[in-house]
Each structure stands twice: as C-alpha cells, then as structure tokens.
Amino acid sequence: MASIKSLQIWDEICTDARLSISKSLFGLKTTVTYKPTGSKLNANIAGYSPADGAQLKRIIENLHENPVKDLGNFRPKPVPNGNYQVEVCASEDGEYLAVMLYQFIHLGYEPVTGTHTFEGEKARLLKEILY
C-alpha cells in the first residue's frame, strides 16, 4: 500500500466534498474517510503492460451504465515497471474509488486520464480488478 499523500492525485482528493481528511500524531498521520459510509481510504500504485494499460484506459474513460458488461472478464496483471501505472484510492468497503492512469513517456510517467471517481457498483467492480 502506498501513502495516500504521496500520490499525484492527492490534491484532487483533498477537494472532494465526499471525503473527510483528518490528521493526528502532530500532523504525521493523515486519515481520509468516505463520509457517506465512514470507511477509510487506502491507496495503491501498480504497473501494467501496454496492452492491459490501453484496455484499462478505455474502461476508466468509458465505464457505462452496465459496468459488468464493460469489464467482461478483463483482469489486468500487475507488472513491475510497467509501461502504464495506475494510482488508486478506494474505501475499505468498496463504495468509493478514485483512479488516475499514467503512461511512461519521455523518461517519466505522465497522466493519460484525468482523475475519475466512482461510487457504488462501479467502484466495487474496479476495486476488485485493481487491488
């Protein structure tokens, strides 16, 4: 698990009104909670192959009304130092998920999607394939 404050999407998470941010231990520990359910958020970073990353990009940008059909049997396999990298923040109960996808371009990871947030069934399904 990654530190949620070390993610590039941290600034956008801070502005989400559905989340509550609290600090403790002299400001050294930060806890982010999804307000509607009171569930804490955890962060994850994973790398993916070019094929899995491209498919993941399509899914993130176009998750429609039927997420089960959109995802099908797609199960990306994390790889070390992948061409694509995903940052994910998800509530422990799976009711909220924020995700941003990056691609390795010009000697660094650059965003290829904006920050997308999902709630309910879509969040649970994405959490299942990304964690």
Side-chain angles (χ1 to χ4, degrees):
M1 293 289 161
S3 167
I4 199 165
K5 287 179 69 175
S6 69
L7 300 179
Q8 292 184 32
I9 61 174
W10 170 248
D11 291 336
E12 293 189 42
I13 289 172
C14 289
T15 62
D16 193 329
R18 297 169 289 186
L19 303 177
S20 169
I21 300 170
S22 60
K23 295 181 181 180
S24 61
L25 278 169
F26 307 104
L28 298 176
K29 182 176 179 183
T30 301
T31 303
V32 182
T33 306
Y34 179 53
K35 289 180 188 178
T37 64
S39 182
K40 292 181 184 176
L41 262 64
N42 293 316
N44 191 33
I45 299 173
Y48 294 101
S49 69
D52 281 349
Q55 178 69 11
L56 193 54
K57 181 178 188 261
R58 283 191 293 278
I59 288 171
I60 290 170
E61 291 178 334
N62 301 306
L63 199 58
H64 298 294
E65 293 304 314
N66 189 351
V68 174
K69 181 182 174 194
D70 292 341
L71 291 173
N73 60 359
F74 176 64
R75 298 293 179 264
K77 303 234 182 318
V79 296
N81 301 319
N83 182 260
Y84 283 86
Q85 181 176 326
V86 68
E87 291 183 346
V88 182
C89 294
S91 62
E92 290 175 347
D93 63 4
E95 291 297 316
Y96 175 90
L97 184 132
V99 62
M100 187 174 217
L101 186 68
Y102 303 86
Q103 186 175 13
F104 194 79
I105 305 170
H106 304 295
L107 302 177
Y109 285 103
E110 296 184 17
V112 292
T113 67
T115 300
H116 292 266
T117 59
F118 301 95
E119 294 180 284
E121 181 184 19
K122 292 177 185 179
R124 286 189 300 274
L125 291 170
L126 281 174
K127 182 179 179 186
E128 185 179 310
I129 68 168
L130 294 175
Y131 271 81

